[in-house]
Amino acid sequence: EVQLVESGGGLVQPGGSLRLSCAASGFTFSIYWMHWVRQAPGKGLVWVSRINSDVSSTSYADSVKGRFTISRDNAKNTLYLQMNSLRVEDTAVYYCARGGAKGSGSYFWFDPWGQGTLVTVSS
Amino acid sequence: DIQMTQSPSSLSASVGDRVTITCRASQSISSYLNWYQQKPGKAPKLLIFAASSLQSGVPSRFSGSGSGTDFTLTISSLQPEDFATYFCQQSYSTPPAFGQGTKVEIK
């Protein structure tokens, strides 16, 4: 069974840092692009960041650029999101999601998704 | 950046009804359009990719159509488990934007 399990969320003060993890299983993690998508309480879905299969390329939403860093460890089948200089508006459920496979030509669709981890930024 | 606009924002329907949700892109995205279903407290689930391709395991009452800027998600006969929020998403360019969602409620 293809599965993604996020962890690392919690309550943090503005200006603080948090590192999210996403453990993948049931598929060949190393050949897929991976994404983070967030959803503020009661709001819609917002793409945050992506990393390609061989870790040579990343991209970010403007709202997190320079503050968040996406990374992956293909040996451990794990995706990460390092979040620094957190703001109140970063409060959301953060989902990791699998994108397209290397060479497929289509990478920006999301299937499956993890269950999400809640990040709350508040003083 | 490409903006995605869904309509309506919410709708009320009965079991057995035919339901149509529309999604419009601010510029042409060819067929790079995906649809997701999200139930309360759960992660989104991919229903349709590339505008009209049904994801494996998704019931055939769901269908997608369109290309360019205008797209449609249709549920041919609404079932109790279909009451949820539906999001469109463009995968044509970065950032891959989502529509604001359409909540399908029980009439």
Side-chain angles (χ1 to χ4, degrees), chain A residues 35 37 39 43-47 59-62 95 105-106 108-111 113-115, chain B residues 1 32 34 36 38 42-46 49 55 87 89-91 94-96 98-100:
Chain A
H35 302 265
V37 179
Q39 186 171 36
K43 302 297 184 180
L45 300 165
V46 177
W47 175 82
S59 63
Y60 300 90
D62 287 345
Y95 296 100
S106 180
F108 288 94
W109 48 266
F110 312 114
D111 180 67
W113 301 56
Q115 86 287 353
Chain B
D1 295 358
Y32 290 90
N34 311 304
Y36 301 86
Q38 186 179 34
K42 300 295 186 181
K45 172 188 173 184
L46 178 67
F49 62 95
Q55 176 66 340
F87 295 91
Q89 174 245 329
Q90 66 84 10
S91 49
T94 303
F98 293 85
Q100 81 279 14

Side-chain angles (χ1 to χ4, degrees), chain A residues 80-104:
Chain A
Y80 303 100
L81 186 67
Q82 177 67 43
M83 304 186 295
N84 298 331
S85 303
L86 281 161
R87 305 168 179 168
V88 171
E89 55 266 33
D90 294 320
T91 295
V93 174
Y94 285 73
Y95 296 100
C96 66
R98 188 180 69 174
K102 179 181 180 180
S104 69

Side-chain angles (χ1 to χ4, degrees), chain A residues 5-100:
Chain A
V5 179
E6 300 95 335
S7 60
L11 175 63
V12 61
Q13 292 187 336
S17 298
L18 215 52
R19 189 197 199 199
L20 306 183
S21 299
C22 170
S25 59
F27 65 100
T28 306
F29 179 74
S30 62
I31 68 169
Y32 286 89
W33 287 38
M34 295 296 297
H35 302 265
W36 289 98
V37 179
R38 70 184 182 184
Q39 186 171 36
K43 302 297 184 180
L45 300 165
V46 177
W47 175 82
V48 172
S49 181
R50 66 87 180 159
I51 186 166
N52 70 345
S53 55
D54 58 10
V55 203
S56 61
S57 172
T58 60
S59 63
Y60 300 90
D62 287 345
S63 59
V64 306
K65 201 172 294 183
R67 301 188 298 123
F68 289 13
T69 302
I70 190 172
S71 61
R72 65 191 293 166
D73 186 333
N74 285 340
K76 294 183 177 180
N77 290 345
T78 303
L79 175 72
Y80 303 100
L81 186 67
Q82 177 67 43
M83 304 186 295
N84 298 331
S85 303
L86 281 161
R87 305 168 179 168
V88 171
E89 55 266 33
D90 294 320
T91 295
V93 174
Y94 285 73
Y95 296 100
C96 66
R98 188 180 69 174

